[in-house]
Amino acid sequence: MVTPSSSSRFTDRQPAGPPLIGALLRVPWEAVQGHMLRRLNEQGFDNLDAAHLNVFRYPGPQGARPSELAAELGVSKQALNYLLGELERSGYIERHPHPDDQRSKRIALTDRGTAVVHAIRDAVREVEAAWADRLGADRFAELRTLLMELNDVA
């Protein structure tokens, strides 16, 4: 039997204080990601989703070994190979033997994959411009600088 006090802990979603940095970074990231997907869909890349965006994230998969990319993304080799298979079947990437080790593969963007990278970067530039308008150029530049500093130490 569920008592009122035990059920209220599941229905009362009172925050335990102000949002922490993870939440403050997540919401803007989700806005950027949503804008990227909308732009990609508008340009005919309608078979991509958020999981695929991870493969295209900066600096991109070009020339990487799948095992290196899996480690960088923090996913299993099996999960990444599944995504790479989907991207390969859709014509975004190819996997070629490594020139020095025929057992190893390297990821190569196709022309279609390169077009996706350009569309993603254009979409992010649109978000940046909107945020610079909202925050002001100086404050947005400061935000960018602070995030770059955090990226250097993270």
Side-chain angles (χ1 to χ4, degrees), residues 8-16 26:
S8 66
R9 71 176 182 204
F10 297 111
T11 58
D12 294 340
R13 296 192 53 185
Q14 298 299 320
R26 185 191 76 241

Side-chain angles (χ1 to χ4, degrees), residues 14-136:
Q14 298 299 320
L20 299 176
I21 194 70
L24 293 172
L25 292 170
R26 185 191 76 241
V27 172
W29 164 241
E30 288 172 350
V32 171
Q33 190 177 56
H35 188 72
M36 287 189 289
L37 287 170
R38 282 188 299 280
R39 285 290 184 249
L40 287 168
N41 285 331
E42 290 168 3
Q43 295 178 37
F45 305 113
D46 55 1
N47 58 343
L48 297 174
D49 62 27
H52 298 114
L53 290 180
N54 289 329
V55 175
F56 289 104
R57 80 178 192 180
Y58 183 83
Q62 185 69 14
R65 290 181 179 174
S67 59
E68 296 167 340
L69 188 58
E72 181 183 316
L73 297 176
V75 299
S76 69
K77 292 180 209 174
Q78 294 84 355
L80 180 67
N81 277 321
Y82 177 80
L83 289 172
L84 293 177
E86 288 183 332
L87 293 171
E88 196 166 30
R89 284 187 295 281
S90 297
Y92 297 110
I93 66 155
E94 295 174 340
R95 289 179 272 193
H96 298 288
H98 188 283
D100 300 328
D101 180 1
Q102 294 298 308
R103 295 170 298 156
S104 180
K105 301 280 186 183
R106 292 281 185 177
I107 300 167
L109 292 172
T110 63
D111 290 343
R112 184 168 170 79
T114 300
V116 164
V117 170
H118 291 298
I120 288 170
R121 292 188 64 81
D122 289 345
V124 173
R125 283 188 194 99
E126 291 172 3
V127 172
E128 288 182 351
W131 288 359
D133 285 346
R134 167 83 181 182
L135 297 175

